[in-house]
Amino acid sequence: MTTDDYYNQHANEFISTTFAVEMERLYEPFLTNLSENARILDVGCGSGRDTLAFKRLGYQVEAIDSSEELVKHASALTGIKVRHQSFYDLEEDAVYDGIWACASLLHCERPRLFEVVLKLIQALKPNGVLYMSFKYGNQDREHNGRMFTDLNETQAEALLQQYPDIALLQQWLSIDQRPERSEKWLNLLWKKHG
């Protein structure tokens, strides 16, 4: 089973456990770095929860996900035509003011993480901001048919150092907000130089 197969087969279960999670504390550092009406790309949008929140706040939002079932659900929920696309296939240049990659790049193969993050950086306008979150740790692992690339501070710093036109705005740990979950998450907020 691939990660996409997992989300296609378990879409309803995934949506039911993630949709109601309180996200405002994570949105705030990202959105305070964006102007009104900024253009945002939600990478790996899942249920469409964050896409809908940003749309309701007046931002221009686009979204992608590599699971066909989640794309259908997110499109219906948000009224936005979510693109069935993997972050591996992103090829845009200087289009977005902000890119939101919440709990999505943790499914990127570690050997391709540099390449994928570079694609996100290239898709950002000058002064654009990139938010990413990873499960906290240093392993590559498989769980319930999904592949995970965990990240810790040392690995995040090593990744950041590979991009000369990027600055760290903020980095922090948070605790999973889902009931009966206590996993730690590493949150990264980067800015592209003007």
Side-chain angles (χ1 to χ4, degrees), residues 99-139:
I99 294 180
W100 179 259
C102 181
S104 55
L105 297 184
L106 52 75
H107 294 311
C108 178
E109 301 162 45
R110 193 177 301 274
R112 297 190 68 185
L113 191 56
F114 167 79
E115 161 206 344
V116 169
V117 173
L118 183 61
K119 287 174 181 282
L120 300 183
I121 291 167
Q122 288 170 336
L124 279 175
K125 295 176 184 175
N127 296 310
V129 291
L130 169 61
Y131 169 82
M132 303 177 282
S133 63
F134 296 84
K135 289 187 188 243
Y136 184 68
N138 61 3
Q139 295 182 307

Side-chain angles (χ1 to χ4, degrees), residues 65-92:
D65 202 282
S66 59
S67 159
E68 289 181 69
E69 287 303 312
L70 291 176
V71 165
K72 286 180 204 168
H73 181 88
S75 295
L77 174 77
T78 63
I80 292 170
K81 187 171 177 11
V82 175
R83 301 195 308 258
H84 179 226
Q85 183 180 12
S86 165
F87 44 61
Y88 293 121
D89 301 324
L90 199 64
E91 296 291 346
E92 291 165 286

Side-chain angles (χ1 to χ4, degrees), residues 19-20 31-32 34 48 52 58 62-63 66 77 93 110 114 118 121 129 152 161-162 164 185 192:
F19 187 77
L31 296 177
T32 55
L34 295 176
L52 181 63
E62 295 175 36
S66 59
L77 174 77
D93 187 47
R110 193 177 301 274
F114 167 79
L118 183 61
I121 291 167
V129 291
N152 63 23
Q161 293 305 319
Q162 296 180 72
W185 290 79
K192 185 176 183 175

Side-chain angles (χ1 to χ4, degrees), residues 4 36 39 43 57 60 70 72 93 119 132 134 149 152 155 162 182:
D4 287 343
E36 285 181 39
R39 192 169 176 192
V43 173
L57 289 168
Q60 302 174 64
L70 291 176
K72 286 180 204 168
D93 187 47
K119 287 174 181 282
M132 303 177 282
F134 296 84
T149 296
N152 63 23
Q155 292 165 332
Q162 296 180 72
S182 59

